[in-house]
């Protein structure tokens, strides 16, 4: 059981219609690792500057996240992203993006990571995702996420990575952009022709669908009347999903369905507070209670 995650570790400035938070800790890798830490012991690969808070590193360690693959660049500045949400939490605009220390990042994973069973290539430059895939031996399961920016600007590199992974995590907008198909089922099938065995399609408050060549599963989202900060929901979904699968011996259809349910549960917690703050108090018993409630909600 070991899950390696590569992705951004960041400062985020987040604006919602009712609040604004400056330079809080975020990043695709951070959200994903925290969500996964309720199921397995994630190992992260990434880079931060000297400005990254020691307190956050200590918190990640307390959640038993392995930071050997996290480079701290002396004098460097941490990746920065600023996003603005409209009244619809599914709609967001990137206001500013400074890659900073990621500009010269050449990931080299520690020897203790090379036998990872599960590898998640969270949203980051596809060239970096590919570099990680080259360094792990024979993972049982590989998955990736991406965003419109890479689909538009680094399509070739992205398609190369896609050919090699088992699962693509994407939202409806991304999968449409990637395939040129409006219909989500047709788009998903098109992705299956590009490499992956499964597509996990995230649909915000409407839930998620997972489909493969002869497999389909749909799950609703936890009913949440007030979304405080949607940032990191997608990464937490992937973290719950892959963390759960990493801790299981099987990749059966039932295991994948439960993984999707745990993914939804973890995403539903993330959006209850800004940045990674909900994870500071979240207990495993709350995760299990919400999973049980999900089950009751979906049964008929
Ligand atoms: P999510 O809301 O799950 O899609 O992911 C949000 C996180 O992605 C934020 O915490 C950002 O720091 C991070 N992020 C935003 N843009 C990028 C990018 N171009 N590359 C890597 N990470 C990014």
């Amino acid at each position: 059981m070991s899950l390696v995650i590569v992705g951004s570790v960041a400062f985020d400035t987040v604006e919602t219609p009712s609040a604004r938070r400056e330079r809080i800790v975020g990043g695709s890798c951070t959200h994903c690792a925290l969500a996964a830490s309720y199921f397995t012991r994630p190992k992260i690969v990434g880079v931060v500057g000297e400005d990254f808070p020691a307190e956050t590193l200590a918190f990640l360690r307390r959640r038993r996240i392995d930071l050997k693959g996290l480079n701290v660049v002396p004098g460097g500045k941490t990746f920065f992203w600023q996003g603005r949400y409209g009244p619809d939490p599914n709609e967001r605009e990137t206001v500013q993006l400074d890659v900073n220390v990621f500009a010269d990042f050449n990931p080299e994973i520690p020897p203790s990571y090379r036998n990872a069973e599960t590898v998640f290539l969270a949203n980051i430059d596809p060239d970096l995702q590919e570099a990680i895939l080259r360094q792990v031996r024979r993972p049982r399961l590989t998955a990736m996420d991406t965003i419109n920016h890479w689909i538009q600007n680094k399509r070739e590199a992205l398609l190369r990575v896609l050919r090699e992974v088992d699962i693509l995590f994407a939202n409806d907008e991304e999968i449409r952009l990637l395939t040129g198909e409006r219909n989500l089922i047709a788009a998903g099938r098109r992705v299956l022709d590009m490499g992956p065995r499964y597509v996990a399609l995230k649909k915000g408050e409407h839930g998620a669908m997972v489909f493969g060549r002869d497999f389909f599963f749909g799950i609703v989202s936890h009913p949440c009347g007030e979304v405080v900060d949607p940032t990191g929901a997608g990464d937490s979904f992937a973290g719950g999903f892959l963390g759960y699968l990493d801790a299981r011996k099987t990749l059966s259809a039932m295991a994948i369905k439960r993984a999707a349910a745990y993914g939804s549960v973890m995403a539903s917690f993330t959006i209850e507070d800004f940045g990674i703050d909900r994870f500071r108090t979240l207990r495993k018993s709350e995760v299990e209670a919400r999973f049980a409630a999900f089950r009751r909600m979906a049964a008929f």
Side-chain angles (χ1 to χ4, degrees):
M1 156 168 133
S2 56
L3 167 64
V4 164
I5 304 166
V6 60
S8 56
V9 180
F11 284 127
D12 292 346
T13 289
V14 175
E15 294 171 52
T16 70
S18 56
R20 178 185 167 98
R21 289 285 186 284
E22 302 272 348
R23 290 176 67 79
I24 56 177
V25 169
S28 55
C29 190
T30 323
H31 282 107
C32 179
L34 281 166
S37 70
Y38 288 80
F39 308 92
T40 188
R41 296 182 70 172
K43 300 172 186 307
I44 70 177
V45 182
V47 61
V48 291
E50 219 172 57
D51 52 356
F52 198 73
E55 179 278 325
T56 306
L57 296 178
F59 169 55
L60 296 174
R61 279 196 197 96
R62 279 201 302 282
R63 292 269 351 134
R64 311 212 309 162
I65 295 170
D66 189 336
L67 303 183
K68 268 194 237 46
L70 183 69
N71 280 20
V72 182
V73 177
K77 280 173 73 185
T78 298
F79 180 103
F80 173 76
W81 173 77
Q82 181 170 348
R84 183 182 299 137
Y85 294 89
D88 175 354
N90 297 319
E91 277 171 21
R92 86 170 163 213
E93 173 197 353
T94 291
V95 178
Q96 196 178 331
L97 183 83
D98 302 327
V99 290
N100 296 332
V101 284
F102 266 99
D104 306 311
F105 183 48
N106 192 3
E108 198 175 316
I109 70 170
S112 58
Y113 284 26
R114 291 185 200 260
N115 288 324
E117 287 174 14
T118 312
V119 175
F120 182 50
L121 310 168
N123 165 32
I124 197 75
D125 185 327
D127 283 331
L128 297 180
Q129 294 180 316
E130 198 176 16
I132 296 299
L133 270 191
R134 297 273 161 270
Q135 294 176 50
V136 284
R137 286 203 180 100
R138 299 176 87 225
R140 182 178 72 129
L141 185 68
T142 53
M144 72 180 288
D145 192 358
T146 192
I147 48 168
N148 288 353
H149 175 77
W150 307 119
I151 301 173
Q152 281 162 331
N153 299 307
K154 282 224 164 170
R155 191 175 173 84
E156 281 312 310
L158 185 96
L159 292 179
R160 274 202 307 277
V161 184
L162 197 58
R163 271 199 289 280
E164 296 194 37
V165 297
D166 299 301
I167 308 181
L168 171 71
F169 288 88
N171 65 28
D172 32 15
E173 208 189 318
E174 290 155 0
I175 202 173
R176 285 185 175 125
L177 187 65
L178 179 64
T179 62
E181 292 278 359
R182 287 292 306 162
N183 178 296
L184 290 178
I185 304 298
R189 291 204 178 118
R190 186 68 76 84
V191 173
L192 297 177
D193 293 335
M194 296 171 164
R197 286 192 282 157
Y198 295 103
V199 179
L201 186 52
K202 301 165 287 181
K203 292 164 55 56
E205 76 218 79
H206 305 301
M209 303 192 290
V210 185
F211 49 105
R213 293 192 174 91
D214 35 40
F215 173 88
F216 181 83
F217 180 63
I219 185 155
V220 294
S221 285
H222 175 74
C224 176
E226 198 212 345
V227 178
V228 174
D229 173 12
T231 312
D235 304 308
S236 305
F237 177 86
F241 191 110
L242 295 170
Y244 173 78
L245 282 182
D246 185 57
R248 304 242 77 75
K249 289 266 170 289
T250 158
L251 296 175
S252 66
M254 185 54 85
I256 300 230
K257 290 179 186 180
R258 291 197 178 135
Y262 275 115
S264 291
V265 165
M266 298 317 290
S268 75
F269 281 118
T270 300
I271 63 178
E272 288 177 354
D273 207 341
F274 279 96
I276 59 170
D277 280 354
R278 185 62 181 91
F279 292 117
R280 292 184 188 276
T281 55
L282 182 65
R283 291 190 312 269
K284 178 77 190 216
S285 57
E286 294 175 87
V287 172
E288 293 305 340
R290 192 168 287 184
F291 179 82
F294 245 78
R295 254 196 166 153
R296 287 193 297 275
M297 192 167 70
F300 57 86

